[in-house]
């Protein structure tokens, strides 16, 4: 799931590939609150997952974002 999230961050949100690391904070990756709204929409469109931007904002790192997306995908399956 991390690789799918990484692809979305790079292609849809235009985050620099070098900034997408599991230990990177949202701020280090350039993911502000607007980016979380965009990510929420991209997750819905690309993966069919319903993850709110508020939930995404609770994640402190890219790795935590990936875990949240993975948990949501498991619930949807």
């Amino acid at each position: 799931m991390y690789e799918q999230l990484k692809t979305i961050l790079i292609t849809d949100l235009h985050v620099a590939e070098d900034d997408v690391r599991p230990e990177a904070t949202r701020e280090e990756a350039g993911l502000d609150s607007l980016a979380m709204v965009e990510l929420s929409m991209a997750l819905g469109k690309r993966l069919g997952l319903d993850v709110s931007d508020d939930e995404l904002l609770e994640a402190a790192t890219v790795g935590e974002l990936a875990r949240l997306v993975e948990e949501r995908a498991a619930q949807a399956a």
Side-chain angles (χ1 to χ4, degrees):
M1 189 55 65
Y2 172 77
E3 289 301 319
Q4 288 176 307
L5 176 63
K6 181 177 179 178
T7 298
I8 291 170
L9 291 173
I10 293 168
T11 59
D12 293 17
L13 276 66
H14 309 290
V15 175
E17 186 172 354
D18 291 342
D19 293 339
V20 182
R21 305 176 319 276
E23 71 280 0
T25 65
R26 282 194 343 269
E27 292 78 18
E28 289 171 341
L31 300 171
D32 59 12
S33 59
L34 179 58
M36 293 297 96
V37 171
E38 293 173 352
L39 179 57
S40 175
M41 292 188 303
L43 290 169
K45 184 172 78 173
R46 282 178 166 255
L47 304 177
L49 299 178
D50 183 26
V51 185
S52 75
D53 53 306
D54 289 334
E55 290 173 297
L56 294 169
L57 283 168
E58 291 177 12
T61 66
V62 173
E64 289 178 19
L65 285 171
R67 278 191 293 281
L68 174 62
V69 171
E70 189 172 319
E71 289 171 7
R72 198 51 54 90
Q75 290 172 354

